[in-house]
């Protein structure tokens, strides 16, 4: 019979200890007396045997008394040895029945995972009573490959009302420094955002768009402000009234975590056959994995229980304080949609689908679960787990490996370590890709609470975001921003985003055409630009996606303006057709049709 997972077996230190045996020789004051032997530790008590002297004759103990003495001494020793042996056998029984019992380890690991989760939530709840003034985050990254390299660092701090951040990025021989400051005033819950970038000069050449260098030179080390009204209007676009935008609190999140933990206890960490999500199909035995002494199990799923689990988690969210907050923001339906998708995905799970799970013998917790590709598990898998070995830090991780069989491979890991003692969080990520475009990426970051007040001044003489967009010819992008979205108006986020993409694509095409003219002395024909083989030879840096309108489906340019397609019209100096004589193409017009039916047009520079 499998032991109950809720019962905690006695520790070896709690077992009955063997009583030590002491042999104490005692000498009678009478010189002729025989030594008295006292045996302690056994259950029998034996009176001492003595020799008496009578009239010069020595009267010895009877043979029965001698046999009794001899027998008692041996019995005490044997009893003591037996107790020691039985204690050792008991300890060995404990060791093998408890420590090395795979069935018990599985049950206890699930129970202890639930206890650990609840303990972590309680810890967060306790620490929520500590009112920190703000947070500090910082870190660095690097990327290296044969063709490209980049590195950078970042730091941010905030006290809830005021904040600042810096970002330093180096790539392609250029280094850009970005600085930002945020201020929340009394008239809005949204911030005024100030941005400044240094090192922009010449970036256009690196991006393949030298035509924007003039604008970038002007913006180099220039403060730019995005007023809080921009964010207020953005809230309105998604159905949130800024004045009613109640801040999300840690207490709201903790309440949901507690509700989710109750559901996890019933389903995820359960061995109850009526609700459990997982069932052990096979036990492989003891394995040492990544320094952990573990038992490995092949685990299957119960699809119907998974659906019930998802539905229960949805109910828990809806009834929690976090759910109330989401309702107030009119976005709870978004999460309801996510749960519906999860339930649909659960329908695809088969009872034959399995994962391997390792339980740690020492911590009595689940170490990791592996989802692997059948038939190639060693080369294609994802591990999710908790690399806990003791102490206050909980290192959650996800790692994996992939290989497409043609020389292109990937390995990567992400670890988020939570220190429950001081609320510090550290993040470490690595990714390495092999193959022709391979490279190595590394990221390290820390997050920690702070009691420091952030003191920074509002920059003066800052350009508005509208003025910046005017410099790029996108001044109308934010006109009417904040109007209610409807099928009858084009003044919505999606239309403005598409129009911004159209203008960017047209300018990218213009940059490519001007570069071709500078090398050849004429512009290509429409047929040439629409030819993929011609572009590959003559415009290799042109991204073909720049030929496609964001709402269209074709990467072919039209000869005249039309909805959802870009137009390219090259001509001779006199305005005639040059399709039959490409070298005569000296002028052109590029046109995009915007969401409201108007045209965004650029012409040749020469």
């Amino acid at each position: 019979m499998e032991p109950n997972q809720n019962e905690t077996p006695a520790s070896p230190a709690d077992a009955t200890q063997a009583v030590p045996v002491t042999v104490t020789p005692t000498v009678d004051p009478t010189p002729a007396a025989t030594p008295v032997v006292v045996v302690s530790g056994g259950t029998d008590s034996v009176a001492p045997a003595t020799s008496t002297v009578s009239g010069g004759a020595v009267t010895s103990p009877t043979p029965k008394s001698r046999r009794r003495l001899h027998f008692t001494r041996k019995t005490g020793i044997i009893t003591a040895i037996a107790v020691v042996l039985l204690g050792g056998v008991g300890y060995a029984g404990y060791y093998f029945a408890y420590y090395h019992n795979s069935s018990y380890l599985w049950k206890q690991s699930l129970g202890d995972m639930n206890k650990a989760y609840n303990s972590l939530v309680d810890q967060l709840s306790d620490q929520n009573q500590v009112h920190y003034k703000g947070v500090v985050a910082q870190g660095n990254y690097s990327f290296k490959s044969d063709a490209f390299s980049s590195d950078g660092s970042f730091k941010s701090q905030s006290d809830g009302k005021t904040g600042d951040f810096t970002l330093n990025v180096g790539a392609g021989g250029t280094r850009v420094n970005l600085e930002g400051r945020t201020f929340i005033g009394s008239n809005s819950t949204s911030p005024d955002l100030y941005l400044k970038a240094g090192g922009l000069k010449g970036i256009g050449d690196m991006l393949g768009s030298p035509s924007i260098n003039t604008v970038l030179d002007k913006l180099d080390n220039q403060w730019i402000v995005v007023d809080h009204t921009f964010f207020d209007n953005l809230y309105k676009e998604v159905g949130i009234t800024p004045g009613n935008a109640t801040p999300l609190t840690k207490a709201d999140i903790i309440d949901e975590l507690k509700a989710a933990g109750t559901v996890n206890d019933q389903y995820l960490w359960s061995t109850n056959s009526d609700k459990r999500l997982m069932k052990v199909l096979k036990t492989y035995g003891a394995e040492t994995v990544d320094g952990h002494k573990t038992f490995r199990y092949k685990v299957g799923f119960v699809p119907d229980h998974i659906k019930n689990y998802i539905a229960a988690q949805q109910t828990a969210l809806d009834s929690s304080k976090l759910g109330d907050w989401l309702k107030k923001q009119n976005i709870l339906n978004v999460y309801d949609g996510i749960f519906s998708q999860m339930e649909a995905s659960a329908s695809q799970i088969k009872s034959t689908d399995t994962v391997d799970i390792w339980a740690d013998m020492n911590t009595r917790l689940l170490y990791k679960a592996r989802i692997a590709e059948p038939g190639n598990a060693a080369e294609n898998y994802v591990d999710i787990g908790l690399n806990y070995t003791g102490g206050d830090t909980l290192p959650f991780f996800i790692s994996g490996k992939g290989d497409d069989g043609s020389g292109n491979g990937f390995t990567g890991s992400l670890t988020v370590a939570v220190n429950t003692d001081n609320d510090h969080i550290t993040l470490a990520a690595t990714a390495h890709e092999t193959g022709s475009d391979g490279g190595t990426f590394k990221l390290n970051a820390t997050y920690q609470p702070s009691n420091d007040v952030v003191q920074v001044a509002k920059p003066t003489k800052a350009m508005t975001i509208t003025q910046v967009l005017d410099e790029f010819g996108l001044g109308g992008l934010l006109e009417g921003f904040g109007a209610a979205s409807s099928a009858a108006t084009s003044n919505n986020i999606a239309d403005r985003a598409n129009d911004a993409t159209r203008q960017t694509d047209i300018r990218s095409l213009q940059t490519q055409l001007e570069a071709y003219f500078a090398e050849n002395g004429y512009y290509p024909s429409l047929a040439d630009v629409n030819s993929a083989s011609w572009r590959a030879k003559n415009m290799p840096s042109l991204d073909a996606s720049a030929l496609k309108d964001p709402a269209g489906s074709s990467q072919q340019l039209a000869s005249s303006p039309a909805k959802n397609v870009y137009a390219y019209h090259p001509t001779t100096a006199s305005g005639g057709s040059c399709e039959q004589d490409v070298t005569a193409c000296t002028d052109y017009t590029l046109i995009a049709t915007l969401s409201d039916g108007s045209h965004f047009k650029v012409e040749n520079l020469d």
Side-chain angles (χ1 to χ4, degrees):
M1 177 181 296
E2 295 179 344
N4 189 310
Q5 64 175 343
N6 295 319
E7 294 178 354
T8 303
S11 167
D14 297 331
T16 301
Q17 301 296 316
V19 179
V21 177
T22 58
V23 180
T24 307
T26 303
V27 180
D28 189 278
T30 305
T34 302
V36 177
V37 179
V38 178
V39 179
S40 62
T43 58
D44 295 329
S45 177
V46 182
T50 60
S51 299
T52 59
V53 180
S54 178
V58 179
T59 303
S60 299
T62 64
K64 181 178 180 180
S65 298
R66 273 204 197 108
R67 287 196 298 272
R68 177 60 178 164
L69 171 64
H70 181 72
F71 178 78
T72 302
R73 182 184 300 176
K74 181 180 289 188
T75 300
I77 295 174
I78 292 175
T79 301
I81 294 174
V83 170
V84 172
L85 290 177
L86 287 174
V89 171
Y91 193 93
Y94 160 84
Y95 183 80
F96 287 101
Y98 169 75
Y99 190 79
H100 273 89
N101 186 301
S102 61
S103 177
Y104 191 90
L105 176 60
W106 173 254
K107 290 183 177 182
Q108 190 186 27
S109 294
L110 292 179
D112 284 356
M113 290 295 290
N114 183 55
K115 293 176 183 177
Y117 177 91
N118 292 334
S119 178
L120 177 59
V121 174
D122 289 341
Q123 181 81 7
L124 292 175
S125 182
D126 292 341
Q127 291 179 351
N128 189 43
Q129 306 305 315
V130 181
H131 299 291
Y132 296 110
K133 293 180 180 178
V135 295
V136 176
Q138 58 187 330
N140 58 76
Y141 83 92
S142 67
F143 175 81
K144 294 182 180 180
S145 70
D146 293 338
F148 178 78
S149 65
S150 175
D151 63 76
S153 60
F154 59 89
K155 182 176 182 179
S156 69
Q157 58 178 340
S158 172
D159 60 13
K161 290 292 185 180
T162 304
D164 68 352
F165 61 88
T166 58
L167 174 63
N168 177 285
V169 177
T174 301
R175 188 160 291 276
V176 175
N177 297 294
L178 177 66
E179 183 177 351
R181 299 176 185 177
T182 59
F183 304 87
I184 298 179
S186 58
N187 58 343
S188 175
T189 57
S190 303
D192 292 330
L193 173 62
Y194 289 81
L195 297 169
K196 180 179 71 173
L200 298 180
K201 295 182 178 180
I203 290 291
D205 294 331
M206 187 182 74
L207 298 177
S209 301
S211 60
I212 65 173
N213 277 333
T214 301
V215 177
L216 294 178
D217 289 352
K218 184 176 181 178
L219 296 178
D220 191 58
N221 283 313
Q222 169 66 50
W223 280 106
I224 301 167
V225 59
V226 183
D227 188 74
H228 64 270
T229 55
F230 173 87
F231 300 104
D232 289 345
N233 289 329
L234 181 61
Y235 283 136
K236 293 177 182 178
E237 288 285 351
V238 296
I240 300 176
T241 303
N244 297 327
T246 306
L248 178 65
T249 66
K250 285 181 66 175
D252 295 335
I253 298 174
I254 290 171
D255 188 66
E256 154 57 16
L257 291 175
K258 289 182 178 180
T262 300
V263 177
N264 287 339
D265 183 25
Q266 296 173 350
Y267 292 90
L268 181 59
W269 311 126
S270 174
T271 56
N272 183 339
S273 60
D274 293 334
K275 288 189 175 182
R276 64 183 180 185
L277 302 185
M278 303 178 290
K279 57 182 179 180
V280 175
L281 303 178
K282 179 180 179 181
T283 302
Y284 291 94
E287 295 182 359
T288 299
V289 180
D290 309 324
H292 294 260
K293 292 183 178 180
T294 70
F295 263 110
R296 177 186 173 194
Y297 308 86
K298 181 177 288 297
V299 177
F301 301 97
V302 185
D304 289 340
H305 293 179
I306 293 177
K307 294 179 184 178
N308 295 338
Y309 170 71
I310 295 171
Q313 286 290 13
Q314 182 177 5
T315 300
L317 173 62
D318 290 348
S319 59
S320 70
K321 291 180 180 179
L322 177 59
D324 291 339
W325 184 86
L326 293 172
K327 292 172 187 174
K328 291 178 182 178
Q329 315 311 314
N330 296 321
I331 53 178
L332 182 61
N333 61 316
V334 174
Y335 291 88
D336 288 340
I338 294 174
F339 279 112
S340 296
Q341 294 176 6
M342 292 172 63
E343 288 187 32
S345 299
S347 300
Q348 307 300 317
I349 298 176
K350 302 176 183 178
S351 58
T352 55
D353 293 333
T354 63
V355 298
D356 283 357
I357 296 180
W358 287 261
D360 193 303
M361 294 183 188
N362 293 321
T363 64
R364 318 304 282 185
L365 296 169
L366 299 184
Y367 165 49
K368 69 177 180 180
R370 171 168 294 185
I371 305 170
E373 179 184 351
N376 193 17
E379 298 298 328
N380 291 279
Y381 63 83
V382 174
D383 287 345
I384 303 173
L386 173 61
N387 190 20
Y388 182 71
T389 56
D392 297 322
T393 300
L394 303 175
F396 300 94
F397 71 91
I398 179 171
S399 62
K401 182 178 182 181
D403 190 337
D404 64 2
S406 62
N408 297 315
F410 171 86
T411 57
S413 67
L414 170 65
T415 299
V416 179
V418 181
N419 188 304
T420 59
D421 180 57
N422 56 23
D423 274 347
H424 290 197
I425 299 175
T426 59
L427 182 150
T430 61
H432 178 69
E433 187 174 5
T434 59
S436 57
D437 298 324
T440 300
F441 172 80
K442 295 181 179 180
L443 172 67
N444 293 283
T446 61
Y447 166 96
Q448 61 189 67
S450 170
N451 282 315
D452 295 332
V453 176
V454 179
Q455 296 181 337
V456 291
K458 283 190 176 183
T460 58
K461 299 180 180 180
M463 293 177 63
T464 66
I465 186 62
T466 302
Q467 291 173 322
V468 174
L469 292 174
D470 283 339
E471 293 290 338
F472 287 97
L474 304 174
L477 181 61
L478 299 181
E479 288 182 4
F481 186 80
S485 299
S486 70
T489 179
S490 62
N491 248 344
N492 56 54
I493 295 176
D495 287 344
R496 285 193 296 275
N498 284 342
D499 286 345
T501 300
R502 290 178 178 115
Q503 295 179 52
T504 300
D505 287 345
I506 291 298
R507 291 198 180 278
S508 295
L509 290 172
Q510 182 185 36
T511 298
Q512 294 291 327
L513 292 171
E514 294 300 333
Y516 182 84
F517 182 89
E519 184 174 347
N520 298 282
Y522 58 89
Y523 297 105
S525 67
L526 175 62
D528 286 340
V529 176
N530 280 335
S531 170
S533 59
W534 183 92
R535 292 196 307 270
K537 181 178 179 181
N538 296 279
M539 292 182 175
S541 61
L542 174 63
D543 185 350
S545 64
L547 300 172
K548 186 178 77 68
D549 183 279
S553 58
S554 173
Q555 290 185 336
Q556 296 288 297
L557 301 179
S559 59
S560 58
K563 186 178 180 180
N564 298 337
V565 67
Y566 299 143
Y568 172 56
H569 184 56
T571 65
T572 64
S574 60
S577 173
C578 60
E579 286 296 314
Q580 302 303 319
D581 183 8
V582 179
T583 59
C585 294
T586 58
D587 301 87
Y588 69 83
T589 303
L590 278 169
I591 302 174
T593 301
L594 303 180
S595 299
D596 62 359
S598 63
H599 293 152
F600 176 73
K601 179 174 67 174
V602 299
E603 297 178 341
N604 53 284
L605 300 179
D606 298 283

